[in-house]
Amino acid sequence: MHPIIFSKMDFSQSNLFGYIEDLQELTIIERPVRRSLKTPEEIERLTVDEELSDIERAVYLLSSGQDIQGTSVVANLPVLMRQNPAETLRRVLPKIREVLHVAGVEMQLTAAVSFLTVLQEESVSIHTYSHSFLHIILQNLEHRDAGVSNAWLETLLAVIEALPKETIRHEILNPLVSKAQLSQTLQSRLVSCKIMGKLANKFEAHIIKREILPLVKSLCHDVEYEVRTCMCRQLEHIAQGIGTELTKTVVLPELVELARDEGSSVRLAAFETLVNLLDMFDAGIFTPEQHLRFLEFYKKLSTLGLQQENGHNDNQLQLQTLEQEKKYISVRKNCAYNFPAMIVFVDPKNFHLELYSIFFCLCHDPEVPVRYTMAMSFYEVAKLLNSGVYRIHKELVTLLQDESLEVLDALVGHLPEILELMTNGGENSGSESKLLSIPDLIPALTTAEQRAATSLKWRTHEKLLQKYACLPHIISSDQIYYRFLHRMLTIILTNNVLPVQKAAARTLCVYLRYNRKQEQRHEVIQKLIEQLGQGKSYWNRLRFLDTCEFIMELFSKSFFCKYFFLPVLELTHDPVANVRMKLCYLLPKVKSTLKIPTDKHLLQQLELCIRKLLCQEKDKDVLTIVKRTVLELDRMEISVDVFQKRFYENDLLDQEKERQEHLLLEMEQLEKEKQQNEGRSTNVNDKIFEKKRRDSKTSSVLAKSITLSVPVNSSGTSAGKEEKKSKLVRSQSFSTQALHPKYSNIDKCPNKSSATGYTSSVSGMGKGCMLSFSDDSFRTHSTGNSGNAAFPSSSSSRNLFNSADQKSNGNKETQSRKMSMPPGKSPPTLSAALTLNTCKGKFQHGLAEYTAPSAGQRMEHIPLENTPWLITGGLRYHCAFDTNGLR
């Protein structure tokens, strides 16, 4: 390319006036536009006497007015019919009939619409309508303008639906015989084809056979291909009118002949009509040989044009032209579009044997339009396969990794439904096996998101991020945390497209909502506050407010108030006006999360921030919004801890969110306890149980002592187990709905915080160590509010997460209750002889668990309650007692 050289301008005094003159010429280029003024004669002609009635004014304008005035009257015809139908039919309609003979296209189209409106509004009876309007419609059917003719035809077809049979026979069918002859115009014959298709549903089969079918055959052999095409498309309606038997003998032969027509449009119309008529025939119309032949033909069409590319032809065919290649691509694309119908044709049970190879080829087709069509129909295929959906897992991964973003965009539309079918479609396989059957799914999903992020098609990226919100129902919480959650935060911080950032923010909130580990949730919340809410860029702080909106939508009010309420209020001091302005818009929603009296201190903080904004805000736009927000906040009513009728639905929804959040915490605790119990049980070998059986005397004494000493615990224990079981069932039911199915079969395990159970753990080392318990060691502890353990009230919900954190982070020593031996108590007679003989020095018997540095140590006559335990021999021990049984 040659560089563009700009000449140096001379701004000397001699040339300066020349430039000014040129500029003056440019300013006067715009010339005054002459307005077309009406002459006095024209104004006089357009003036109408104001004292005339609507009917008289309409007649006057149709008689002596201009075309635009006449068109206005025709458009107003339905109104006149509603106001005064008799006078309109007597005086206005005849004038309209006269004017339409010489009217232009605009008035003709307006009249067709007005006549149809009068019919639909039923301003007059159908008999009056056919007597007054039908003749005008029939007269204008053959208008020289095709658009006008089609408009009147649509009106006539609608009128035929309402007309009685006798009127149709005399006014429409009888004249149709002459209109369909070859001597008539092309437009007349085309109109006749469409009318016959409509009449087929109005008469009995014998009348159609006698009076309509001869005309149909004549038009099917018309010399003009447009007429043959039009008549071919009406054969479907005629077949429905005459029934299956006459269709086989009369219509099918005509269709077969039209399918061999020289005109491509005629052949296409014949093929489409044949396909539409398949529903009329029996399902078993194909013989096995015909079924196989049809399937083989479809397979050939699905790979048409790929033989040479795939090496099946050994260069015997000539090079395909570009036009041929386009046709082949179109054929394969249509095969992909009809693939779900072919599954129905062969039966989904036979998919793998008869159609999987074609499905594989179409999903790997070299042309994007074919793969795009397969991606669009992938959900339909998955639904049809049902329990056999696992057979197409690899193709799902392939399309997710497709090089074309168009293919990915088509697949993402139904991605949540597809993934749900993939993981839950099998009837006999468990959730774990179904998840593991797609090992490449997570890498494919991450690759698809990265490719969309690096492209310029941000709408595809936004759509993908929105659909990824379904993943908590598909894969585990840890997989989401390590592979997707941090990626969403990165997108919020680094992406430059606002819709993409908002989509990532909402999806991140969904992931946080269903995260199963408190530690991970705290980490994400901390990052949101530090990197967004307290970020250096005002853009990040704006996104923090967007994220808080999603938090309020997805989480309970108590969750937002605990973690995000104060960080949001801190932005009232933000140095950027746009941030303060956005915060002001958000304040009504923020206030709606408060409950009185629990959140009274937060309400005071909110009021303080608003007062500071009113007093200290210097930006006039922000101050205007603050004043408007204050008025809105004053009108708001704050919900209280107890249910109120006007807030019933919102409070009920919020309580459900709190319950689900509590169940997540409970599930986390149950999983930890289960893992601990599984670790303990794996360390007990068969040798220990043999020793237990041989020590039958000790076991017998221990069992009798427990039965005699603490009889009240039998009911308490069963009650505790029932409570734990009910909690676990609630946790399982929630996890199957909102979490990954792999957690739906958690075994029952004891709950340390049960209302009736008691757990104690102590440890020590050295000779003569002392272990003491009070006399309430095995006493039943009644709480009186067992229901609140599973469903906390709104007033106590703020402390829910703190208590859960203490449970999850504490060790056994901090969790256990330490009891002391009250003075004056004498040891009971209950005792047991225990032997530590495991390889790791652990022993479990009855209610006790011991850990020793070496095996084989035997301890005789050990009291079980209300007395100090004296253990000698340098034993390092750990004892755990639980009235509900050994964990």
Side-chain angles (χ1 to χ4, degrees), residues 51 169 284 374 383 531 535 594 671 717 725 741 786 801:
E51 296 182 357
R169 178 189 291 271
M374 286 304 298
K383 282 197 303 183
Q531 300 183 23
L594 298 176
E671 289 171 12
T717 302
K725 182 177 180 181
S786 60
F801 295 93

Side-chain angles (χ1 to χ4, degrees), residues 19-226:
Y19 294 140
I20 294 176
E21 291 176 357
D22 293 339
L23 292 174
Q24 289 176 347
E25 291 179 1
L26 290 175
T27 59
I28 62 174
I29 287 179
E30 182 180 356
R31 298 177 180 176
V33 179
R34 178 183 178 274
R35 297 184 179 182
S36 56
L37 300 176
K38 300 294 183 183
T39 62
E41 293 78 9
E42 291 175 333
I43 295 176
E44 180 67 23
R45 194 162 54 246
L46 293 172
T47 303
V48 181
D49 189 358
E50 295 181 357
E51 296 182 357
L52 295 177
S53 65
D54 292 340
I55 299 295
E56 292 173 345
R57 184 183 300 108
V59 173
Y60 174 78
L61 293 176
L62 289 171
S63 302
S64 58
Q66 295 186 354
D67 289 343
I68 188 172
Q69 293 175 317
T71 302
S72 176
V73 172
V74 174
N76 200 44
L77 179 63
V79 178
L80 296 176
M81 290 294 298
R82 288 194 298 268
Q83 294 175 351
N84 195 342
E87 285 298 308
T88 303
L89 292 176
R90 187 175 68 87
R91 300 182 60 186
V92 178
L93 192 60
K95 285 291 182 181
I96 293 178
R97 185 172 185 174
E98 294 176 4
V99 171
L100 286 178
H101 285 294
V102 294
V105 172
E106 185 176 358
M107 184 180 291
Q108 288 277 353
L109 295 175
T110 304
V113 174
S114 296
F115 280 30
L116 181 60
T117 304
V118 171
L119 173 69
Q120 294 171 345
E121 292 181 353
E122 299 180 354
S123 302
V124 293
S125 65
I126 189 63
H127 175 74
T128 303
Y129 187 91
S130 61
H131 178 74
S132 303
F133 291 88
L134 183 58
H135 293 285
I136 303 177
I137 297 173
L138 293 174
Q139 287 176 358
N140 293 277
L141 272 178
E142 300 180 20
H143 196 276
R144 58 184 179 274
D145 186 274
V148 173
S149 178
N150 289 331
W152 285 111
L153 177 62
E154 293 298 323
T155 303
L156 177 63
L157 297 179
V159 171
I160 289 175
E161 288 290 338
L163 291 177
K165 291 182 180 179
E166 289 302 319
T167 303
I168 296 175
R169 178 189 291 271
H170 291 94
E171 301 294 340
I172 300 176
L173 182 57
N174 291 341
L176 195 64
V177 177
S178 60
K179 298 293 183 183
Q181 301 300 320
L182 286 174
S183 58
Q184 297 294 324
T185 63
L186 174 63
Q187 184 65 28
S188 176
R189 302 202 300 275
L190 290 174
V191 169
S192 300
C193 293
K194 295 179 180 180
I195 293 177
M196 279 190 285
K198 195 69 174 181
L199 295 179
N201 295 324
K202 300 294 295 184
F203 295 101
E204 293 78 9
H206 67 278
I207 297 178
I208 297 174
K209 181 180 180 180
R210 184 179 68 249
E211 300 186 14
I212 296 180
L213 285 183
L215 298 176
V216 170
K217 291 183 178 180
S218 173
L219 292 172
C220 285
H221 296 85
D222 196 277
V223 294
E224 300 291 343
Y225 76 92
E226 295 99 329

Side-chain angles (χ1 to χ4, degrees), residues 277-317:
L277 288 178
L278 289 178
D279 293 337
M280 291 186 59
F281 307 116
D282 300 331
I285 190 172
F286 278 3
T287 63
E289 294 78 11
Q290 291 173 334
H291 184 282
L292 181 61
R293 190 185 315 144
F294 186 83
L295 181 60
E296 291 300 324
F297 184 68
Y298 174 79
K299 290 181 179 180
K300 290 181 180 180
L301 292 177
S302 300
T303 58
L304 188 64
L306 300 179
Q307 291 86 352
Q308 182 177 358
E309 181 178 342
N310 294 333
H312 297 304
N313 205 356
D314 296 330
N315 298 324
Q316 293 180 0
L317 294 176

